[in-house]
Amino acid sequence: AQKVTQAQTEISVVEKEDVTLDCVYETRDTTYYLFWYKQPPSGELVFLIRRNSFDEQNEISGRYSWNFQKSTSSFNFTITASQVVDSAVYFCALSYSGNTPLVFGKGTRLSVIA
Amino acid sequence: GAGVSQSPSNKVTEKGKDVELRCDPISGHTALYWYRQSLGQGLEFLIYFQGNSAPDKSGLPSDRFSAERTGGSVSTLTIQRTQQEDSAVYLCASSYPGLVGAYNEQFFGPGTRLTVL
């Protein structure tokens, strides 16, 4: 069975601090996909990144970066120089192939205080 | 183009009543998913459609829940004899199947917030 664990329920940081959101996953599949979604107060899920299991390269997009480590089954998300607009619930998710349901973690609520 | 739309955006109902939630996927997206977001439970998968067929209904929590899809487009999630524990945000997502084995991103709608009194 697949499982995603986001151990941090809530995190609060002061603006401009860096913050890392943890994600640990479990799967028996050799091919799988990992995701991060952002859910701002408006409620709509916003796709941030997809990573497949064969690509362990870390990725950076502006202030966002992702660290994928198969050895520890982790896919952590770091926001550098956080801003108030980063305040949201962030979900990590797993899928074993295209056109299959996403298995979500329970989310981490990030509050960035000015 | 237009994204995934859901209606109503909010629904308040009394315990024991039936409710219908609607999802309009992105045009051309043959895969459609329903998820539920409950307080403390995170996002849970309910059912997946490919075209009008539902190959995976494993997430439906009870036989009070059912869903259908017609014309390979609009889907309706029906909850009969609603209970207070059904209160949640119901999210719909759609994707275009594309190549076999490739990942096809799911685009989410804004959700329907259901409150059962």
Side-chain angles (χ1 to χ4, degrees), chain A:
Chain A
Q2 298 183 323
K3 184 179 178 181
V4 176
T5 301
Q6 295 180 255
Q8 303 149 309
T9 306
E10 294 191 34
I11 300 176
S12 185
V13 299
V14 176
E15 204 171 21
K16 297 184 184 177
E17 285 185 355
D18 299 347
V19 58
T20 294
L21 309 182
D22 297 333
C23 173
V24 174
Y25 64 92
E26 296 175 31
T27 181
R28 293 180 181 175
D29 299 299
T30 55
T31 301
Y32 52 89
Y33 298 85
L34 295 162
F35 309 83
W36 278 94
Y37 281 86
K38 175 181 180 179
Q39 188 176 45
S42 60
E44 205 151 340
L45 277 169
V46 177
F47 167 80
L48 295 178
I49 190 172
R50 175 183 72 245
R51 173 67 73 228
N52 76 49
S53 53
F54 296 111
D55 183 2
E56 285 193 74
Q57 268 194 322
N58 292 330
E59 182 156 337
I60 298 174
S61 176
R63 296 184 297 107
Y64 295 172
S65 62
W66 291 270
N67 183 353
F68 175 29
Q69 292 195 342
K70 286 178 78 169
S71 60
T72 55
S73 297
S74 65
F75 186 43
N76 296 338
F77 173 31
T78 297
I79 302 174
T80 303
S82 59
Q83 299 177 0
V84 172
V85 293
D86 296 327
S87 297
V89 180
Y90 291 86
F91 291 95
C92 181
L94 170 69
S95 174
Y96 73 85
S97 74
N99 302 317
T100 58
L102 294 168
V103 175
F104 285 89
K106 293 199 173 181
T108 297
R109 181 177 299 277
L110 174 65
S111 299
V112 182
I113 303 165

Side-chain angles (χ1 to χ4, degrees), chain B residues 43-103:
Chain B
L43 277 149
E44 303 169 291
F45 163 72
L46 298 177
I47 186 170
Y48 155 57
F49 286 93
Q50 181 58 50
N52 293 335
S53 300
D56 190 348
K57 306 178 183 180
S58 61
L60 294 178
S62 76
D63 58 9
R64 296 186 296 104
F65 286 72
S66 63
E68 65 174 13
R69 190 177 184 197
T70 55
S73 181
V74 172
S75 176
T76 303
L77 177 69
T78 301
I79 309 173
Q80 296 179 308
R81 305 181 301 282
T82 52
Q83 304 294 311
Q84 288 181 333
E85 62 262 29
D86 299 334
S87 295
V89 176
Y90 289 82
L91 291 161
C92 176
S94 71
S95 70
Y96 177 71
L99 297 173
V100 173
Y103 184 79

Side-chain angles (χ1 to χ4, degrees), chain B residues 7-8 11 14-15 29 32 36 40 46 48 63 72 87 92 96 106 114 117:
Chain B
S7 61
K11 176 72 177 178
E14 294 179 350
K15 179 180 171 181
H29 281 194
L32 185 148
R36 178 171 73 172
L46 298 177
Y48 155 57
D63 58 9
S87 295
C92 176
Y96 177 71
Q106 294 181 26
L114 175 66
L117 302 176

